[in-house]
């Protein structure tokens, strides 16, 4: 029998009408202050109740001695209290009718201490008896710009449709920050820590039917509910792209996971099999996770694996061909319809240029790699494309900045109007020339703002496209 016969009711977790922060602090260098300030910064629309026994005010908001002193109903309580104070807080939650308690509080079973683990079990039993659901413990909690929630004051306020579940709080921060820099906007993000009550499987099942979510990513060390996790994963993957970064695959990683979140990691082979059977995409590191989430978020699905590749010099063309074929693509030679149109525009190129397009042979021909990309995308011979910017070539020419920006703006226009997926390759800013670094960063930011996925290498672009093709 399925653990989730109906969609789990987690709406009030992600969209509470009111929030209380237990252990709210006037110390600006403390979690108890950060949560209050972060939720204020995110524009939370409902009442925020800082709970502090001695202060009258925290972060400009009236404070209350205890949860039961808060004047209105409370949907979500965030605990920054020491572990020993949580049982009493659970009692207060029961009296107040609180539905969700997020325990930033740690030092429970993840410590390996028997008494700490026993306290965690007591908290779980008490909360269950009172109808209080627990997120955590040992987790940073919720970031949901659409619902006005955040666990750090510096996170982006723009709301999107990419959901992310993470067993690690710092990992969640890194994915949000790095993903946002590449153009992703996040919706529901949860760092669930030990997963004592609200499990990743339950949240996956919820996100499967969440109309606000179009792509789901997750960082997982281990799961407390193996069957429930698989069912939630399969339900989600049947409806939208799901990318799982499974960490703790090695013996050393498994040991680290156990001390981090009390996770039982499992074998790498078993996890790969489970993810494949459920229909999810597996990432082996954070770069793969971000690359796959980016492609799933920003690129349309391709109708096949015939790929067009343009830009870069001769060496880059050869590397691009290798990367494409190694990731399951067919590098289709330039078809007659495209070659005929090339002959009309640049007769000298017609019998020379091929796929991948070597940018170095185009100089003086009157036809650019962007022009060839347009012709190839219009041909039925190709299902998708990788476009190498080839920024190093521009930096060797006069007026490098203007030329590069013009070419990238033209490329962005092609990507925006194409019904076929186009991944842009713009190299990392690995140069001692600060001016060149600034120009590349500016161009990359423009692509991101226009919703165009950019990859730092053709190998990473080909990997992401290859895993997502036909999704």
């Amino acid at each position: 029998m399925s653990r989730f016969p109906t969609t789990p009711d987690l709406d009030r977790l992600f969209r509470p009408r009111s929030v209380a922060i237990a252990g709210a602090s006037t110390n600006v260098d403390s979690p108890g202050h950060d949560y209050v300030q972060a939720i204020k910064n995110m524009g939370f629309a409902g009442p925020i109740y800082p709970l502090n026994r001695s202060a009258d005010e925290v972060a400009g908001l009236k404070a209350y001695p205890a949860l039961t002193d808060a004047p209105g109903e409370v949907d979500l309580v965030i605990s920054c209290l020491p572990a020993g104070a949580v049982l009493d807080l659970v009692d207060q939650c029961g009296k107040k009718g609180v539905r969700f308690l997020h325990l930033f509080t740690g030092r429970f079973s993840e410590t390996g201490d028997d008494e700490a683990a026993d306290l965690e079990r007591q908290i779980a039993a008490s909360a269950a008896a009172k109808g209080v659901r627990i997120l955590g413990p040992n987790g940073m909690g919720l970031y949901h710009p659409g619902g006005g929630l955040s666990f750090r004051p510096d996170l982006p306020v723009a709301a999107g449709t990419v959901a992310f579940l993470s067993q690690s709080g710092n990992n969640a921060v890194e994915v949000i920050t790095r993903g946002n820099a590449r153009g992703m906007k996040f919706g529901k993000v949860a760092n669930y820590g030990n997963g004592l009550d609200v499990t990743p499987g339950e949240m996956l099942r919820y996100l499967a039917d969440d109309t606000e979510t179009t792509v789901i990513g997750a960082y997982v060390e281990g799961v407390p509910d193996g069957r429930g996790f698989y069912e939630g994963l399969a339900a989600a993957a049947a409806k939208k792209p799901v990318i799982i970064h499974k960490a703790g695959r090695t013996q050393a990683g498994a040991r680290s996971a156990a001390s981090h979140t009390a996770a039982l990691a499992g074998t790498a082979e078993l996890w790969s099999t489970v993810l494949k059977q459920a229909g999810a995409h597996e990432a082996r590191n954070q770069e793969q996770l971000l690359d796959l989430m980016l492609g799933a978020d920003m690129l349309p699905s391709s109708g096949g694996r015939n790929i067009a590749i343009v830009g870069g010099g001769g060496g880059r063309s050869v590397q691009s061909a290798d990367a494409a074929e190694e990731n399951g693509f067919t590098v289709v030679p330039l078809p007659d319809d495209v070659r005929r149109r090339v002959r009309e525009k640049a007769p000298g190129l017609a019998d020379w240029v091929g796929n991948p397009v070597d940018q170095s042979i185009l100089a003086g021909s009157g036809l650019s790699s962007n022009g060839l990309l347009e012709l190839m995308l219009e041909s039925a011979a190709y299902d998708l494309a990788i476009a190498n910017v080839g920024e190093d070539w521009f930096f060797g020419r006069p007026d490098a900045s203007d030329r590069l920006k013009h070419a990238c703006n033209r490329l962005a226009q092609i990507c925006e109007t194409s019904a076929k997926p186009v991944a842009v390759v713009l190299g990392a800013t690995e140069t001692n020339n600060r001016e060149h670094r600034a120009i590349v960063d500016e161009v990359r930011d423009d692509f991101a703002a226009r919703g165009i996925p950019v990859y730092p290498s053709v190998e990473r672009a080909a990997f992401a496209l290859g895993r997502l093709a036909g999704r």
Side-chain angles (χ1 to χ4, degrees), residues 94-319:
K95 293 173 183 177
K96 192 70 174 176
V98 171
R99 295 186 59 184
F100 291 98
L101 170 62
H102 157 222
L103 294 178
F104 170 75
T105 306
R107 296 185 180 277
F108 289 106
S109 59
E110 74 276 7
T111 65
D113 181 78
D114 290 341
E115 290 186 8
D118 182 61
L119 176 59
E120 184 176 276
R121 288 189 289 268
Q122 292 179 53
I123 290 168
S126 179
K130 296 173 176 61
V132 179
R133 301 299 310 276
I134 292 177
L135 179 67
N138 186 34
M140 295 180 72
L142 303 167
Y143 166 69
H144 180 211
L149 296 178
S150 181
F151 47 71
R152 274 180 48 148
D154 60 338
L155 295 180
V157 298
T161 61
V162 178
F164 185 62
L165 307 178
S166 180
Q167 204 153 0
S168 162
N170 284 334
N171 182 281
V173 173
E174 290 170 3
V175 168
I176 293 167
T177 303
R178 296 179 67 187
N180 188 261
R182 296 178 70 179
M184 278 190 282
K185 293 181 175 60
F186 288 85
K188 296 179 171 71
V189 176
N191 165 220
Y192 55 89
N194 295 6
L196 177 65
D197 177 21
V198 177
T199 64
E202 187 175 1
M203 287 187 282
L204 283 167
R205 183 65 186 83
Y206 169 78
L207 293 171
D209 294 325
D210 179 37
T211 56
E212 184 182 272
T213 299
T214 58
V215 175
I216 302 170
Y219 168 84
V220 177
E221 293 173 2
V223 293
D225 59 335
R227 181 176 178 183
F229 178 83
Y230 178 82
E231 291 178 353
L233 180 63
K239 296 185 177 182
K240 51 198 71 172
V242 180
I243 300 97
I244 305 292
H245 174 196
K246 173 61 183 73
R249 297 186 306 275
T250 65
Q251 289 184 355
R255 288 195 303 271
S256 181
S259 63
H260 179 211
T261 55
L264 297 176
T267 67
E269 294 80 6
L270 174 62
W271 269 93
S272 294
T273 300
V274 166
L275 297 179
K276 184 176 182 180
Q277 288 180 347
H281 302 284
E282 181 179 9
R284 290 298 184 98
N285 52 54
Q286 191 180 94
E287 283 69 32
Q288 290 184 359
L289 173 71
L290 286 165
D291 288 348
L292 289 167
M293 289 172 64
L294 186 73
D297 180 39
M298 294 187 180
L299 289 174
S301 180
S302 68
R305 288 184 168 271
N306 292 338
I307 193 166
I309 307 171
V310 302
R316 175 69 67 86
S317 298
V318 176
Q319 295 168 49

Side-chain angles (χ1 to χ4, degrees), residues 288 291-292 295 327 329 455 459-469:
Q288 290 184 359
D291 288 348
L292 289 167
N327 283 281
F329 292 110
Y455 295 88
E459 287 79 11
R460 285 174 60 175
F463 168 84
L465 290 176
R467 296 302 185 275
L468 295 170

Side-chain angles (χ1 to χ4, degrees), residues 49-72:
Y49 302 118
L51 307 180
N52 185 300
R53 292 188 181 278
S54 57
D56 295 327
E57 182 179 287
V58 174
L61 297 175
K62 177 177 172 54
Y64 300 87
L67 176 61
T68 49
D69 296 316

